[in-house]
Amino acid sequence: MVSFTVAAAQYPIDRLASWDAYEAKLTRWVEQAAAAGASLAVFPEYGAMELASLDPATMGDLAGSIETVSALLPRVDALHAELAARTGMHILAASAPRNDADGRFRNAARLFAPNGKSSVQDKLVMTRFEREQWNIAAGATLRVFDTALGRLAVSICYDSEFPLLARACVEAEAEVLLVPSCTDTLHGYWRVRIGAQGRALEGQCYAVHSPTVGEAAWSPAVDENRGAAAVYGPPDRGMPEDGVVKVGVEGVAQWVFAEIDTAKVAELRADGGVLNARHWMEQPGALALPPVEVVDLR
């Protein structure tokens, strides 16, 4: 069982003057989290789209923005790997469109461990704008990640609104669900927040929510961003009565820090006031769950 500090980003989308400006920004954010004692830093869905501003010729074009960001991913990932190793932190990088061998783009969140290992979770259920405007394809593989901090899973934004995905991860013994998001309205923010809280309740686990915030009028992709970072748990013994471990001020660029203790997950799953995780299959119509791949990042 592990106890550690998590940092959930309320991350602003900035217009960047250069790669050096991006590197300085990301380094500053990661170093601030590390200085506060965080062992895990969680960045939001599509936070990487700010990199589209590095190409002024295409940054106002949706397809061009997606291609620009995807082309920069190897460089972005190398920077995250270096920062994870240097700070000793686990880092969930802001998700980004990745251009795959089949010519389709997928929304990819990459998890970096300080020992140099890394892996990826693709978004599995696409929103309307991803299907109808962005032409982003769905991923196919659901994963859980064994780390020095415990077993983690990633549920990108809309995925958190579909219980069977998180449930499969819980059955695979995930203790902490990371929920990066990008929503342009408070309606969207609350959908993801309610989803994250629902998954924490059902799975008797933690959910760490990290959204984009602020305005980026130059971008056709992430021009408006609403949300508040938070850490949620099941409303049961040893947890807050409302299940809100910590929540930020909506719309403010900031880190939100909270303590995670995976021993509490084990205790509640074994002997909580309710036993949601254990009683899942007693629901009429409970379905077979999707397969889960276990990735060792220890």
Side-chain angles (χ1 to χ4, degrees):
M1 307 304 171
V2 184
S3 178
F4 63 91
T5 300
V6 63
Q10 288 183 200
Y11 188 75
I13 300 295
D14 291 332
R15 182 170 179 175
L16 303 165
S18 64
W19 171 265
D20 288 346
Y22 170 71
E23 183 173 343
K25 177 185 178 180
L26 184 66
T27 299
R28 182 175 68 253
W29 273 75
V30 171
E31 289 180 345
Q32 286 174 349
S39 297
L40 170 63
V42 181
F43 286 97
E45 178 189 37
Y46 287 133
M49 291 307 296
E50 64 181 355
L51 289 160
S53 62
L54 299 184
D55 186 355
T58 62
M59 70 180 189
D61 173 71
L62 180 58
S65 294
I66 291 170
E67 291 172 2
T68 294
V69 175
S70 181
L72 286 169
L73 267 190
R75 196 174 182 185
V76 171
D77 287 354
L79 175 58
H80 281 82
E82 187 275 325
L83 288 170
R86 177 156 59 84
T87 62
M89 296 174 61
H90 291 73
I91 303 174
L92 183 71
S95 82
R98 182 195 63 234
N99 194 355
D100 288 336
D102 62 1
R104 303 296 304 277
F105 291 94
R106 288 174 177 82
N107 183 357
R110 292 94 56 225
L111 179 63
F112 297 87
N115 61 10
K117 294 183 179 181
S118 65
S119 191
V120 62
Q121 177 62 63
D122 292 344
K123 192 173 184 178
L124 301 181
V125 184
M126 300 297 102
T127 58
R128 289 194 63 184
F129 74 83
E130 286 172 308
R131 298 167 191 256
E132 298 169 12
Q133 300 174 40
W134 290 44
N135 196 30
I136 303 292
T141 303
L142 187 60
R143 296 185 172 97
V144 294
F145 306 98
D146 277 337
T147 74
L149 305 177
R151 185 163 283 192
L152 313 179
V154 179
S155 190
I156 302 175
C157 200
Y158 197 38
D159 282 354
S160 70
E161 300 174 33
F162 294 88
L164 296 183
L165 300 179
R167 180 64 202 181
C169 295
V170 168
E171 291 286 348
E173 301 182 354
E175 299 158 306
V176 183
L177 182 67
L178 310 182
V179 185
S181 74
C182 179
T183 51
D184 61 0
T185 66
L186 287 176
H187 289 104
Y189 158 65
W190 276 100
R191 284 194 293 267
V192 178
R193 173 173 173 167
I194 290 168
Q197 290 192 263
R199 307 299 77 82
L201 167 66
E202 296 158 355
Q204 293 181 285
C205 61
Y206 290 96
V208 181
H209 182 191
S210 168
T212 51
V213 296
E215 296 185 1
W218 55 269
S219 172
V222 286
D223 53 335
E224 296 182 21
N225 303 271
R226 303 296 300 271
V231 176
Y232 304 112
D236 205 339
R237 293 194 302 266
M239 295 282 189
E241 293 178 338
D242 61 359
V244 180
V245 178
K246 196 69 173 292
V247 65
V249 178
E250 196 280 321
V252 176
Q254 64 179 125
W255 281 116
V256 172
F257 297 96
E259 297 304 309
I260 284 183
D261 184 353
T262 59
K264 291 184 178 181
V265 174
E267 290 168 4
L268 290 175
R269 286 176 175 175
D271 189 30
V274 289
L275 296 172
N276 306 77
R278 186 184 305 176
H279 295 156
W280 173 272
M281 292 306 295
E282 294 183 16
Q283 299 175 87
L287 303 175
L289 298 171
V292 176
E293 177 184 322
V294 178
V295 179
D296 191 350
L297 298 184
R298 293 171 296 179

